[in-house]
Every structure is written in structure tokens, then in C-alpha cells.
Amino acid sequence: MNFNFKKTAAVLLCAVFIRCACVAEDLSKYDGCVIHSVEASSNRIKPEILKNRFPLREGQIFNSERYEDAQNELHDLRIAKKLSFDLKPSEGGAVDISVKAEDGYYIFPLIFATGGKKSAAGASLAAGNLFKRGETLMFFGGSGKDGSMASLMLKDGENIYQASFINMNFEQRFYKGSRINNDGIFSTTDDEEDFKNPINKIYTKTDSFNFLYARQKGYFTGFISPEYKYVRYSKDMKSGNYSTVGFGLNYRKNIRSGANMGALFGYGLTDKEQSLKNLPAPIIGYSLQAAYKNGGDWTGADFNISKISAEARSVVEFKNRHILNVYIKGEDSFSAPFAEQVRADDLMSGQGRYSRTLYGERGAGTGISFAYYLARNNTGLLALQPFYELAYVYSDKYRALSGAGATLSYKFWRFPFPLGINYTQNLSDGSNQISFVFGGKF
């Protein structure tokens, strides 16, 4: 018979706590106890799958912080109208955990349109827990002035699969100081009226197909992403095959997952009550990610491509739920052709809207924002989020792109996407953008 000294000591220590305190409301008093059993029950999802999605296992040492994280992972599935968790002492000084989910399934179509200097329209179809696995399935497609795209994503437990196709047809305009117009299928910004004298105009057509596979294990997520990409220029540029394979690793803790469509059917609201309460103490979350992308003869590319990037984010959620977000990123394209060079707006936090950006061999950027809740109630969340962001990109020298502004948005509990308006002032050239906001997260 194998003897585990640490496990036996933990059981004896836990027994002392339980004899003294019986069932304690302060769950940290159970830290160090052995988990004797984890039981799960549900309406639809298979109980063994629900139990598997709950990260704590029999035989592990109980930790109150990890117990809270495990509960949040089930909330993030967004398939239950109600989630119940119970922790009680077991024989021999261990603890038993039970999880109960009142879950269902959903299928939801959504059509939307954007307007501004450029317009676009799209549609999505989301489904969850259809196959009783707690899975999320999403199809999204749309088109605009610059092209069209379609994407299919499946999240099943620890695995994420996504396939995307993008076709872009647009006029690339070049300005002094390594500035170019921003493109994008759903972009509402256009520089043509504000900046009338580009030094060059090139018609560009891009076709790309990308597949991504990611696997999550605890706080870590690793991913691989092969991409076929063919670019055609009307003149003076390197047309050809830009196919690559990307790899990356992400570490994330105490950062909320994005909402999903389950909230529209009353699912995904299981954490509403706790979200409306103030926190006993601020929570600090953070994420770190490193990624590398390579292409050449081995991927069928006509050019040698090598890009490396690293980024970090820190999120502080205060007692009253206001959120401070700080972001930093660096990227190097190692003298890659123009189609794979670094863009300034890719280095910033994503809060601002810009009609022009910078491009170059390498760069670094940062951003800071603060989500202040003007209202938190049973209907939804009204937030004002001021921000500042800055990026430096090197071509023949380092140049800066910076912006400041604010987003005013409202998110209904029964609708998973914030709706609002964004104002951005480009501090580098003085231009202003006012945009409608649909989606995002805070």
C-alpha cells in the first residue's frame, strides 16, 4: 500500500479545523483539506461532463481561491439558469463538493448593420448545449465596402476550433511618415475626405483562410494557427503567397471571459447576483501571451516571413466593481514584406478608432482605460470608459500614433453585448472619430 505523507497530514489538519469550527462560512478554513468527492447533477448536460468541466478533483488539496475560480469556469459556460455549489465536511476530516446546474439549450440568430463613412452588415447564428456537452457553436458572416468574411467556431470543453475565410478588396493609400489608411470589413472610418493628398494609391486584393486550434489547461491556453493567404497588388508591391503557421501560449487569471448568447434566453445570468454585490477586496487579474508566426518554402509562401510578439494585460476590479485595465504589447516582423509588417493600431488596447495607422518593421504599444459604472442594477450596466493609448513603430525611424477618448455603453443582463458610442481623438494628427459600438467587453 502506498503511503502519501502530505495527503495524510492534510487530512489530519483538516479534521482539527472541522472539529473546532464544524461547517465554517469562511471557506479558507478548509484550505489544506483533501477533497473526498465531487458530485454533479444537471437537467440536460451529462453529469460526468459537468463534473469534468469543474476543475477540482477527488484527492486534490482544497484551496478556497481555486474553488472560486472553479465556480467561475462553470458560470462562463453560460448554459445554466441557476448554479448551486455546496461544500461540507466528510468522514476522516476531508470535504465533499456538490454542483447542481439547472441548464438548457439555445439557438439564436442575430442580424446587424453599421453606418458611418463606410457601412457594413452581418449575421450570426449561435447555439449552446445542443449536444448536451456544454458546448458553444457560433457562425458569423458579413460584408462591407472593403470585402467579406465568414467564421465558424466551436468551443467544446478544453478545446476550441475556429475556421475563417476573408476576402478583402480595397484601395491602400500611402501618406508621408509611413502612414496608411485603415482597412476593415466592419470599419466605419475612412480617411479619404480628411486627407486628400496621398503620395501613392494601390488597389489591393487579399484572400485568406485560417484555421485555429486552441487547448486550455488550467490557467494556460496553447494554440496553433495555419493560414493560407494570397495578396495581389495593382503595382509596385510584392504580390504572391503569404502562407504561415502561428504558435502561441497564453496565461490568464482572474480576467472575465466574454459573454455569449446564452444570456438572451436567461442562461448565463447565474453570476448576476454576485456581480451586483460589492467585492470584499479588490481583485487583480492578469494575462500574458507570447506568439510566433513563420512562413517560407515549407508553408508554400513566396517570401520568408517571421514575426514574434509578446503582450501583457493587468486588470484591477475594485470593491465597487469599477475596472482599471492596463495593456502593453511588442512585435517584430524582421523586415517582412509590407503585407506582414507591424501596424500601430494592432499594438494598442483596441479602445480607439482611427482612420489612419502606421506601419513598419517593429513596434511597441500600450494603453490604459478605466470602466466607471454610472449605474449597476437588475436591468443592466451603464459604463463610461475613458482611455489613452500610444504606439511607436519603426520604419526608417520611430514614429508615434496616440489617441484618447471615451466609450459610453450600456449592457443589458439579458443581452450579452454592450451598446453605445465611442469618441476618439487622434492626438498624432488631430482627427476625430465618433463611432457606434456594438460588442466588446468590460
Side-chain angles (χ1 to χ4, degrees):
M1 185 174 88
N2 293 327
F3 181 77
N4 189 319
F5 175 79
K6 291 183 179 179
K7 183 174 178 179
T8 303
V11 170
L12 294 174
L13 181 63
C14 184
V16 173
F17 279 138
I18 291 175
R19 288 193 184 98
C20 294
C22 193
V23 180
E25 291 184 4
D26 182 5
L27 297 181
S28 64
K29 291 187 177 182
Y30 290 118
D31 287 349
C33 297
V34 172
I35 299 173
H36 173 257
S37 68
V38 178
E39 300 297 333
S41 62
S42 58
N43 296 341
R44 181 175 177 83
I45 187 174
K46 297 176 181 178
E48 61 270 20
I49 293 180
L50 180 65
K51 182 178 176 179
N52 188 54
R53 301 288 173 85
F54 190 72
L56 300 184
R57 300 285 183 267
E58 291 93 342
Q60 292 182 344
I61 303 300
F62 180 83
N63 177 276
S64 55
E65 182 181 351
R66 189 69 184 113
Y67 180 58
E68 184 175 348
D69 291 343
Q71 294 181 53
N72 289 334
E73 291 196 30
L74 292 191
H75 285 303
D76 286 344
L77 289 177
R78 297 295 190 262
I79 60 168
K81 289 185 177 181
K82 184 178 180 180
L83 278 171
S84 302
F85 302 91
D86 187 34
L87 178 69
K88 59 184 179 181
S90 179
E91 295 181 3
V95 293
D96 291 323
I97 300 173
S98 64
V99 180
K100 182 179 180 181
E102 296 180 13
D103 60 317
Y105 71 95
Y106 62 86
I107 302 175
F108 184 76
L110 179 66
I111 299 174
F112 71 93
T114 62
K117 294 183 178 180
K118 292 189 292 186
S119 59
S124 69
L125 181 65
N129 210 22
L130 286 181
F131 306 107
K132 303 181 181 182
R133 296 180 55 85
E135 81 290 338
T136 300
L137 182 65
M138 171 85 72
F139 170 79
F140 181 82
S143 63
K145 183 179 178 180
D146 290 340
S148 59
M149 62 87 65
S151 180
L152 181 66
M153 185 273 291
L154 171 65
K155 186 178 188 301
D156 185 16
E158 298 174 337
N159 301 299
I160 300 173
Y161 310 87
Q162 181 171 326
S164 303
F165 172 77
I166 299 176
N167 169 261
M168 296 282 287
N169 297 274
F170 63 97
E171 184 179 69
Q172 189 78 77
R173 294 182 284 274
F174 295 81
Y175 300 88
K176 292 181 179 179
S178 296
R179 296 185 183 276
I180 56 173
N181 60 308
N182 255 332
D183 55 74
I185 295 168
F186 301 104
S187 173
T188 59
T189 62
D190 196 343
D191 67 308
E192 197 166 13
E193 294 181 4
D194 298 326
F195 306 99
K196 299 182 181 298
N197 298 304
I199 59 177
N200 199 3
K201 295 182 179 182
I202 296 176
Y203 180 76
T204 303
K205 177 177 172 54
T206 300
D207 293 300
S208 65
F209 179 81
N210 176 276
F211 178 79
L212 180 140
Y213 170 71
R215 182 172 176 84
Q216 181 181 354
K217 200 68 176 176
Y219 298 127
F220 289 91
T221 301
F223 61 89
I224 181 171
S225 180
E227 179 183 42
Y228 167 81
K229 180 178 178 180
Y230 201 93
V231 183
R232 300 172 181 85
Y233 297 105
S234 60
K235 58 179 181 179
D236 304 331
M237 302 287 279
K238 294 181 177 180
S239 298
N241 189 318
Y242 283 79
S243 296
T244 58
V245 176
F247 311 85
L249 182 66
N250 176 275
Y251 177 85
R252 185 182 74 173
K253 184 177 182 181
N254 291 338
I255 293 183
R256 296 181 185 179
S257 299
N260 75 29
M261 296 290 187
L264 290 165
F265 288 84
Y267 307 119
L269 302 182
T270 56
D271 56 350
K272 173 184 173 181
E273 182 178 348
Q274 67 187 59
S275 296
L276 289 174
K277 295 178 181 178
N278 287 343
L279 294 167
I283 296 176
I284 300 177
Y286 47 89
S287 69
L288 304 169
Q289 179 170 302
Y292 177 69
K293 183 163 71 171
N294 185 267
D297 291 339
W298 73 283
T299 61
D302 296 325
F303 314 98
N304 291 322
I305 300 167
S306 185
K307 294 179 72 173
I308 190 169
S309 65
E311 60 186 86
R313 184 184 301 274
S314 179
V315 177
V316 180
E317 188 169 7
F318 296 94
K319 290 183 178 181
N320 51 12
R321 298 287 183 172
H322 304 318
I323 297 175
L324 176 67
N325 193 322
V326 180
Y327 175 83
I328 186 170
K329 180 178 180 179
E331 188 172 44
D332 197 328
S333 66
F334 301 101
S335 302
F338 171 76
E340 286 292 334
Q341 287 192 340
V342 175
R343 305 293 200 268
D345 53 315
D346 289 338
L347 300 172
M348 299 191 290
S349 60
Q351 297 288 332
R353 310 289 189 269
Y354 305 92
S355 60
R356 300 195 304 175
T357 188
L358 295 167
Y359 69 95
E361 298 176 15
R362 57 186 176 271
T366 187
I368 184 170
S369 64
F370 183 73
Y372 180 83
Y373 290 107
L374 301 171
R376 283 192 300 139
N377 52 46
N378 287 317
T379 304
L381 305 170
L382 177 63
L384 178 65
Q385 188 166 3
F387 65 88
Y388 171 78
E389 50 191 9
L390 167 69
Y392 282 95
V393 176
Y394 180 84
S395 50
D396 55 333
K397 66 177 183 179
Y398 279 102
R399 294 181 171 86
L401 174 67
S402 62
T407 298
L408 179 66
S409 61
Y410 193 86
K411 186 176 79 167
F412 293 93
W413 288 109
R414 287 296 297 266
F415 194 77
F417 300 110
L419 304 169
I421 57 173
N422 172 278
Y423 169 75
T424 302
Q425 182 178 49
N426 187 326
L427 301 177
S428 300
D429 60 26
S431 61
N432 300 282
Q433 298 289 338
I434 297 178
S435 309
F436 175 71
V437 174
F438 175 80
K441 56 185 177 181
F442 53 81

